[in-house]
Every structure is written in C-alpha cells, then in structure tokens.
Amino acid sequence: MASPKKNGNATGLRQGLATYGDAGFSLFLRKAFIKAGGYSDDALDRPIVGITNTASDYNPCHGNVPDLVEAVKRGVMLAGALPMVFPTVSIHESFSHPTSMFLRNLMAMDTEEMIRAQPMDSVVLIGGCDKTIPAQLMAAASVDRPAVVLPVGPMLVGHFKGEVLGACTDCRRLWGQYRAGTFSEGDIERVSERLAPTKGTCMVMGTASTMGCMVETLGMGLPGSGSTPATHSDRLRLAEQSGRLAAGMAKQQGPRPSEIMTEAAFRNALTVLQAIGGSTNALVHLTAVARRLGVTIELEQFDAIGRKVPVLVDLKPSGDHYMEHFHWAGGNARLMREIRGHLDESCRTVTGRTLKEVIDAAEIVPGQTVIRTPEEPIKPTGGMAVLRGNLAPRGAVIKHAAATPSLLTHTGRAVVFDSLEDLAARGDDPALDVKADDILVLRNAGPKGAPGMPEAGSFPIPMKLARSGVKDMIRISDARMSGTAFGTIVLHVAPESAVGGPLALVRTGDRITLDVPNRKLELLVPADELDKRLKAWKAPTPHPGSDRGYSGLFHRTVLQADEGVDFDFLGPAKT
Ligand code: FES
C-alpha cells in the first residue's frame, strides 16, 4: 500500500507544508505561528505524535478523554517526541440524529484528512463510544501512518435494589418491563441515574466493548486497552504507554496500519468476534475497515468460523457478567488463549510483539468463571450466523447467542411495518392484528432507507403482546441492532428495501421461514408473484435534505451492509 504523502521523506514539523510556492517560507511561517505557543526549537525539531481529542460535552462516554490526553502526552514526552493534540468529530449514540452510523463515515473522513493535513509522524487515536473506534480504524487504514488506538474503556457497573445494572442491556430490559406495566414510574426514574454510573463506554459486550476487543485482536492497541475500566489508574498507565509507543513508532516510521491489519489479522478479529458473542455491528465495521485496505470480508467465511468457534465469554447480553469482570478474569488476551488453535499467532501488533507473545503473556486468574474453556462453553458455536434466501440474497445476520432457542426454526405470518414512522404509529395500537407467533417485519430502515441504518432492529414487541407476557418475537429488518440488545432479531438484510431488495415486497399475511441451523431466510411467496410485486414497486421518496451537503453525499454513495456501509469512493488508495 502506498505510503502517506509527506513532502518526500520530510518528518516532524517539516512534513506536509502549506503550499505557497516557497517551501522555505512555508516552514518559516509555520514555525513563526507555532512559536506563539511558546515552543522551543528543540521541541519543534522532535518527531511529532498527533493525539485525537474526542472529548465533547455531548459525549459522556468520552468524559475521561482529557485525563487520557494528558497521560498520552506524558508518555510521548518521556520518549523524546513532541505531542500535538487536535480535535475531531466526536459521536455519542444517544446524541446523534438521525443515528450515529449516519455520522461514522464523516468522522472517518475528518480523522483521515486531519492526520493527512497536519504534520505528524504517528498518531494516538482516542475513541470508544460505538462508532468512534470504527471511524478511527477506517481513517488509520486509509492514511496508513503509524497509529495506536487507545479506547476510553468501559464504565463500572451500576446497582439498583440489590441488582447489578449495565448499559444498555438493562436499559432495554427494564424499559420493556416499564412498558409492560411491571416496573414503576419512580423506579424507572431512579434507574436512569444508575445505568451509566461512571465515565466510559457501555459495560456489556455491546459495540464499544466489542470494538475494544477488536482493537486488541487486530494488534492496533495495547493488551488490556479494550477492557481496563475507564476510571481505573491502569488506564492512565495504558495511555502513557500508548504515548511512548507512538513516539517510538514516529521515530521508526512504522509499523504502518497496513502492516498490522492484514488479512490474517481480520480473520483473527472475526474469530474473536464469534467467541466473545460480540456485537453484530462489529461485522459491518470490520468489513468497512478491511475494504479500505483492499481486504474483502466474506459473510460465509464469518459464518464458517462461527460453526467452529464457541462463545466463551459469559457477558451480557449473551451471558451474565460485565466488562470489568471480563477484565479481571484476564481480558481479551486470556480469551484468545482459549481459542489460539483458531488464530494466526504470527500477526504483528503495534507493541512490536506477535499475537503469540501477547497471548503467552496473558494473566492467568485462578478460579475465574467469566472466560470459559472450549470444553465448557457458554454456547457450543459462535455468537452469530449468516442467513441467505430469497428474502436476503446478499445476506442477513442473526445473533443467535442472544436469541430465544425455540424461535430459531420457525415459520410464521408476516406483520409488516413500512417504516420507523409506521412502526411508531401502529406498533402499540390495541387494534393491531398481531399474535405472538407472527414474524414482525420492518423495512426502509437500512443504510439509505432510514437513513444511516439505525439500531432499530430490536424494535419493541407490540404493547398488547408485551402486556400479556410475550418477551420475544422474530423481528426482521434491514436495520442494525445495538450490541447490547437481545432477542430473535434478523438484521442487515441486504439489499435493503429502499433500493428494491426483497424486503420491499413482503406483505402482511405472507409466510416467512427462519431456519437458523440451515442458515435460511425464505419468503414463502412464488417467484412469479414476487416479480409482479417488484414491477409495481416504487422507490421511496428521498429524505428531506438528501439533495445537498453531507446527507446528499451519504444518499448518493453509501454502500450496503455486506460492504460495510462505507462510501463507495473510500476504497483502497490506487496511487
Ligand atoms: Fe457510548 Fe454505549 S452510549 S458506548
């Protein structure tokens, strides 16, 4: 892969000069301005380590970023380089309209271009809340400048009336109880103060925690950086160490992300993703990162891994514990030790050690029960399966580790919602014709349709069924699902309905078969009838605002779920 353009071999402050037609003047001007910050010539002659500042009042998950930045700077300076902190887009799940995924590619572009535009020999990428680390990995892959990823780390657990609480698996569970009338108004108010009790990312095996494990497995961050609690002093030491490491990489001009995130490293990541019962979102994100490096992730490859690799981590939503328990049980390195036969241990990491050396150094914790052995797994196969059939020609995904076993093979009547707005309008209508063994279908919730493929796939059970005690139903959509959610949820149906995928053709009353053991998702309607419906189908009206700006760019160029929902023009660099 081509090296970043940096004024030939120039390093430090001399690289990437603004263009005035006189390189000497450009450097003079740059120095004159930076000296306003009180820097000495000695400081300005050092290799430069950029540090992304993703702190924002809108992003409480990143509340510890200022402390981490200071610790990274300390590590950089102790190693004799110059730290330079710069802001990028920051995205929080619940503060992003219409959905955080809509902004992931914007953050990736912002991070990529700021690394390219500003002089730095390496970069420490501090991220955490769901879409931020995927965006940073996508940027690192595209710039291909030495990079260390430092997750902000998971929150500690909360407590309520003797029960341990975790965002956001318990958010959904308790909200479901509140909707069903079994949890009081006062209790739901009190719980809202305890579900996210500290800074840091959601502490179940949701997308943020999953991506922390992916960072470690890919070799892009330090061992333990995915699971050390956000508020623990160890995390500050990890930050200092990340700064030191990045300074060393700046001096050596390597290794570059393309030398770390190889095809084998992505295969390792998919393997760990299955073994941790991780978030379905990570599959989309890994696909996007890999695509930027010219590596194709095949859904069948992921499914085949899942048939061999068991779920070994006993964490919510698939199990019982939380990220801090996973960390103190030995974390990702300890987990990899249990599945090392499935991993390519020769892969390099940013630490300079191979994955084998990282795994060999894993802490062994006597008596821990959070990370199981393959002989005593949480589930005998991986967390996710890939489905195909006439309803999902380019694939769909189900996290069967968090599903109701009795629903994994089921034929039922479709009850169709045409959009999120239709769902909101009719889902809780007492007159809705729906029964517990029906299959709920939501369409126009994919990358273009929603837009941004929101985490709406685990949409609520209709109120009248919830109140009668129904806890799970099969739900099918072209949306995503929060990694913290659970249920028999079929996601990422591709192609999505807004571009004419078969989901657009389903009618209430049709019958659908879900057969997870045989990886099938079939709409039981004759092909000629589906042809007729397709001929009569009209594409939905584009969303207001999608004729201009970022929305327009998104609408015109976003790819489908099986291609990572990246923009079509952000593939591997050709020059
Ligand atoms: Fe930020 Fe869950 S909301 S990680």
Side-chain angles (χ1 to χ4, degrees):
M1 173 155 295
S3 186
K5 301 284 180 292
K6 304 200 312 177
N7 276 10
N9 291 326
T11 57
L13 209 66
R14 289 168 178 75
Q15 65 191 286
L17 293 169
T19 310
Y20 299 116
D22 177 348
F25 175 69
S26 296
L27 182 60
F28 165 75
L29 205 61
R30 176 174 283 178
K31 277 194 164 179
F33 277 108
I34 197 72
K35 281 188 173 178
Y39 291 93
S40 66
D41 283 324
D42 177 30
L44 297 176
D45 275 343
R46 306 286 176 131
I48 297 175
V49 177
I51 304 167
T52 62
N53 182 357
T54 52
S56 159
D57 286 351
Y58 290 106
N59 193 346
C61 293
H62 288 203
N64 61 342
V65 167
D67 292 340
L68 293 176
V69 165
E70 283 311 307
V72 174
K73 285 169 77 174
R74 185 166 68 239
V76 170
M77 288 191 279
L78 284 168
L82 176 65
M84 297 289 279
V85 182
F86 64 100
T88 72
V89 169
S90 182
I91 309 169
H92 185 275
E93 282 304 291
S94 52
F95 286 92
S96 302
H97 178 78
T99 173
S100 60
M101 188 66 169
F102 180 69
L103 298 170
R104 183 201 64 179
N105 297 350
L106 179 68
M107 183 174 179
M109 290 169 75
D110 172 17
T111 307
E112 174 183 345
E113 296 308 330
M114 286 300 99
I115 296 172
R116 268 189 215 289
Q118 301 170 130
M120 65 189 78
D121 300 287
S122 68
V123 62
V124 177
L125 299 158
I126 304 177
C129 195
D130 289 15
K131 308 303 174 292
T132 57
I133 284 182
Q136 292 174 329
L137 286 171
M138 290 158 76
S142 292
V143 185
D144 207 24
R145 197 162 303 177
V148 179
V149 179
L150 174 64
V152 298
M155 301 172 197
L156 298 180
V157 296
H159 298 268
F160 180 70
K161 293 187 174 173
E163 201 183 333
V164 177
L165 298 182
C168 235
T169 300
D170 295 311
C171 319
R172 292 169 200 283
R173 181 176 61 81
L174 296 175
W175 184 254
Q177 288 180 16
Y178 171 64
R179 274 174 56 86
T182 58
F183 206 68
S184 76
E185 186 91 38
D187 281 353
I188 200 80
E189 282 297 323
R190 196 130 335 104
V191 156
S192 77
E193 292 164 358
R194 303 197 183 170
L195 276 163
T198 72
K199 296 166 182 174
T201 47
C202 293
M203 64 297 231
V204 298
M205 191 52 85
T207 304
S209 301
T210 302
M211 290 311 299
C213 294
M214 296 298 97
V215 164
E216 289 193 44
T217 309
L218 286 168
M220 289 296 291
L222 286 163
S225 61
S227 58
T228 304
T231 51
H232 199 285
S233 61
D234 278 350
R235 180 150 295 279
L236 295 174
R237 280 183 281 278
L238 278 169
E240 184 183 304
Q241 208 185 334
S242 297
R244 273 183 186 273
L245 191 57
M249 291 163 72
K251 290 175 190 168
Q252 292 156 19
Q253 306 221 341
R256 291 180 286 127
S258 60
E259 296 169 306
I260 303 290
M261 292 192 282
T262 59
E263 198 169 339
F266 282 109
R267 200 164 44 247
N268 287 343
L270 294 175
T271 305
V272 167
L273 178 56
Q274 290 283 18
I276 60 178
S279 163
T280 45
N281 288 323
L283 180 58
V284 178
H285 297 320
L286 287 171
T287 301
V289 179
R291 181 177 171 273
R292 289 185 172 220
L293 290 163
V295 176
T296 303
I297 288 182
E298 302 286 355
L299 290 176
E300 269 61 33
Q301 170 195 20
F302 180 59
D303 190 77
I305 291 170
R307 288 181 185 270
K308 286 186 270 181
V309 177
V311 177
L312 296 181
V313 176
D314 190 4
L315 248 64
K316 295 212 172 200
S318 302
D320 283 334
H321 298 283
Y322 297 87
M323 278 304 279
E324 63 193 88
H325 308 127
F326 177 56
H327 180 68
W328 300 122
N332 196 64
R334 179 69 184 80
L335 177 269
M336 288 194 290
R337 204 179 172 99
E338 293 297 339
I339 53 167
R340 63 191 313 168
H342 299 281
L343 299 174
D344 183 338
E345 297 184 71
S346 68
C347 288
R348 299 171 69 183
T349 72
V350 287
T351 62
R353 291 184 284 167
T354 62
L355 202 65
K356 176 181 186 315
E357 290 169 302
V358 169
I359 293 171
D360 285 343
E363 188 175 337
I364 305 299
V365 180
Q368 67 81 20
T369 56
V370 180
I371 301 169
R372 304 276 190 87
T373 63
E375 293 72 40
E376 286 182 292
I378 300 293
K379 307 267 177 191
T381 60
M384 285 174 243
V386 174
L387 308 169
R388 297 245 186 206
N390 68 348
L391 197 47
R394 284 171 54 184
V397 173
I398 183 167
K399 188 173 186 178
H400 55 115
T404 303
S406 60
L407 289 175
L408 292 176
T409 309
H410 180 77
T411 296
R413 182 187 73 130
V415 174
V416 180
F417 298 98
D418 209 34
S419 64
L420 286 157
E421 292 73 25
D422 183 31
L423 174 69
R426 293 194 298 122
D428 288 340
D429 184 342
L432 181 70
D433 176 15
V434 64
K435 298 187 291 304
D437 61 354
D438 288 339
I439 294 178
L440 304 177
V441 173
L442 170 66
R443 64 182 164 221
N444 291 314
K448 277 193 200 205
M453 206 184 176
E455 291 185 342
S458 56
F459 54 94
I461 307 284
M463 184 81 86
K464 69 178 186 185
L465 294 179
R467 293 227 153 136
S468 69
V470 176
K471 296 211 164 33
D472 191 15
M473 291 173 73
I474 296 175
R475 284 156 275 179
I476 300 174
S477 73
D478 42 16
R480 294 175 302 113
M481 165 174 98
S482 165
T484 62
F486 57 90
T488 311
I489 319 281
V490 177
L491 304 154
H492 308 183
V493 170
E496 64 173 306
S497 57
V499 299
L503 210 53
L505 311 180
V506 188
R507 291 180 183 167
T508 292
D510 290 345
R511 295 187 71 75
I512 293 175
T513 290
L514 171 68
D515 180 356
V516 177
N518 291 305
R519 305 300 194 253
K520 287 281 177 209
L521 184 63
E522 298 286 351
L523 177 60
L524 305 180
V525 174
D528 56 344
E529 168 63 19
L530 290 178
D531 277 349
K532 252 191 259 167
R533 290 185 191 179
L534 184 59
K535 282 193 187 103
W537 176 78
K538 285 195 179 46
T541 312
H543 290 270
S546 57
D547 56 340
R548 63 173 297 279
Y550 179 73
S551 287
L553 183 71
F554 193 97
H555 185 76
R556 287 192 307 275
T557 67
V558 74
L559 298 169
Q560 292 293 294
D562 58 335
E563 297 167 306
V565 196
D566 201 357
F567 293 151
D568 60 9
F569 58 89
L570 288 173
K574 294 196 175 66
T575 54

